[in-house]
Amino acid sequence: MCTHSLSRRAALTGAAAAVGGMAFGVPAAASGKRGLADLTYPITTAFPPFADGEEARRSAYTTIADDGYYMQEWRLVEHTGTHVDAPGHFTEGGRLSTELTPDELITPAVVVDIAAKAAENPDAQVTVADLRAFERRYAKIPRDAAVLMYSGWGVKAGSTDAYRGTDARGVLHFPGFSADACEWLLEKRHIRSLGVDTLSIDPGDSEEFPVHVTLTGADRYGLENLANLSSIPRHGATIMVGLLPFEQGSGGQARIFAMW
């Protein structure tokens, strides 16, 4: 290979790195000093679903031994694992997965930590008081932000019963947002999204799902089963939501990264 080709490749690589840095508002030279976290659980057949029968299933579709290449066939409910709830999930006529735009899916994020009270009460909720306390300690929640609840629930993800918090009557118990907090964030802070490290943005014992109804009715989306929220700053991160654009999707699996 000639030195001209090597020089051209180096120049193109450097240009691509610089463009990549600028795309996220991060100078390429400083990107190594920034933080990056994966907020996604791997898609597995063992990850706890919201309800029985919604478990992911997989089988070999082709094998290298028989076909010369390897592929799997998956059976997935759109709301299994780390995923997005599109507005159309709970709101008739709401936008679907293919209609959510990149500028909505790359957004500032804050993390509201309720792990201490969730450890004492599995039905704990993010309240307006929690949000006001957050802003007193950190800063005002920015417009178009994703507000993410960290409850520490990820330590239970290895057990379906523990992650659901199912009691003897079959009622689920895990933390979520209160309806008042959702309304306050929409009206006062004009947020883009709510996210949780549990199975639902509504608490597990909710029967009417008011947070889903209110959030999607405002043409906003939800994020559920987020991982590693303890590893990102409480204020100042940006998330990228790599939503799978299923045709007519009510939501779908997503690879979600946080940068700061």
Side-chain angles (χ1 to χ4, degrees), residues 7-215:
S7 299
R8 183 172 181 274
R9 175 177 291 181
L12 289 172
T13 302
V19 171
M22 288 186 289
F24 302 118
V26 180
S31 61
K33 299 179 181 179
R34 309 285 288 203
L36 179 65
D38 192 344
L39 307 185
T40 317
Y41 284 104
I43 299 173
T44 71
T45 56
F47 191 85
F50 187 84
D52 290 339
E54 295 181 0
E55 297 86 356
R57 301 173 188 171
R58 68 182 180 93
S59 60
Y61 192 75
T62 63
T63 66
I64 293 175
D66 293 339
D67 307 286
Y69 58 97
Y70 168 59
M71 291 196 302
Q72 296 184 104
E73 181 177 37
W74 283 83
R75 181 267 190 189
L76 284 172
V77 174
E78 291 171 334
H79 299 269
T80 298
T82 302
H83 68 273
V84 170
D85 287 356
H89 182 37
F90 268 76
T91 297
E92 187 70 33
R95 289 185 302 150
L96 302 176
S97 297
T98 53
E99 298 174 282
L100 293 176
T101 60
D103 66 316
E104 294 175 273
L105 298 171
I106 303 174
T107 190
V110 302
V111 179
V112 180
D113 186 341
I114 64 163
K117 69 177 183 178
E120 297 181 357
N121 176 16
D123 300 318
Q125 299 180 24
V126 177
T127 65
V128 174
D130 292 323
L131 300 173
R132 292 188 184 278
F134 173 90
E135 292 193 330
R136 286 194 298 271
R137 180 171 181 180
Y138 298 101
K140 184 177 179 179
I141 296 167
R143 188 184 186 94
D144 291 331
V147 179
L148 312 179
M149 177 197 77
Y150 170 65
S151 69
W153 220 247
V155 298
K156 303 175 184 287
S159 165
T160 295
D161 285 342
Y163 197 61
R164 288 180 183 167
T166 312
D167 66 19
R169 297 176 295 125
V171 177
L172 307 186
H173 297 277
F174 53 75
F177 281 86
S178 71
D180 288 346
C182 177
E183 292 172 1
W184 188 87
L185 287 166
L186 289 167
E187 295 173 5
K188 303 295 186 181
R189 297 296 179 261
H190 308 286
I191 62 162
R192 178 74 67 192
S193 175
L194 292 179
V196 293
D197 59 352
T198 60
L199 283 160
S200 172
I201 56 176
D202 280 284
D205 61 354
S206 175
E207 296 181 355
E208 303 296 332
F209 304 104
V211 177
H212 277 89
V213 171
T214 300
L215 186 73

